[in-house]
Amino acid sequence: ALLKSKKHPEFKEKYHRIKTRRGHKKAIIAVCKMLLTAIWNILNKLEPYTPEGFLEHRPVNESKVLTKAQALELLRKRGYTITDESPVIV
């Protein structure tokens, strides 16, 4: 019922995000852990529940800049062989 709730979208978002990668059962366990953590914090801090800690604002298109050395190292780690030969022009 919590996953269908419109009042708490953070649980629904977490479920769907994990379900696409790991499957239904692991997503349910992750949401249960999230709920248990929220309950623990409510009882421990004696404060009402707020979803701010669960709602994440992630940048969608974060551009990454690599140096030449970092790019070459990344290619080497992925199995590419890099040679320093320039093409011969006759």
Side-chain angles (χ1 to χ4, degrees):
L2 185 64
L3 298 176
K4 295 179 183 179
S5 171
K6 292 183 181 179
K7 189 175 180 182
H8 299 289
E10 62 273 11
F11 296 105
K12 185 176 184 177
E13 289 172 9
K14 175 118 177 162
Y15 170 78
H16 286 293
R17 192 170 56 241
I18 294 176
K19 183 183 176 200
T20 57
R21 290 181 285 131
R22 306 264 175 137
H24 170 73
K25 290 181 181 180
K26 294 205 179 202
I28 291 293
I29 296 299
V31 171
C32 289
K33 182 179 183 269
M34 184 178 169
L35 188 59
L36 188 60
T37 303
I39 292 169
W40 171 259
N41 286 325
I42 290 168
L43 295 175
N44 196 21
K45 296 178 183 177
L46 299 175
E47 296 175 355
Y49 171 75
T50 56
E52 281 98 27
F54 296 112
L55 296 175
E56 300 174 8
H57 299 288
R58 296 183 201 161
V60 177
N61 292 327
E62 183 179 321
S63 63
K64 296 182 181 181
V65 178
L66 298 174
T67 64
K68 288 181 184 179
Q70 290 172 333
L72 291 173
E73 185 62 30
L74 181 64
L75 289 171
R76 282 189 193 104
K77 285 182 180 177
R78 293 189 178 179
Y80 290 92
T81 303
I82 301 169
T83 59
D84 195 23
E85 298 174 6
S86 58
V88 178
I89 301 174
V90 180

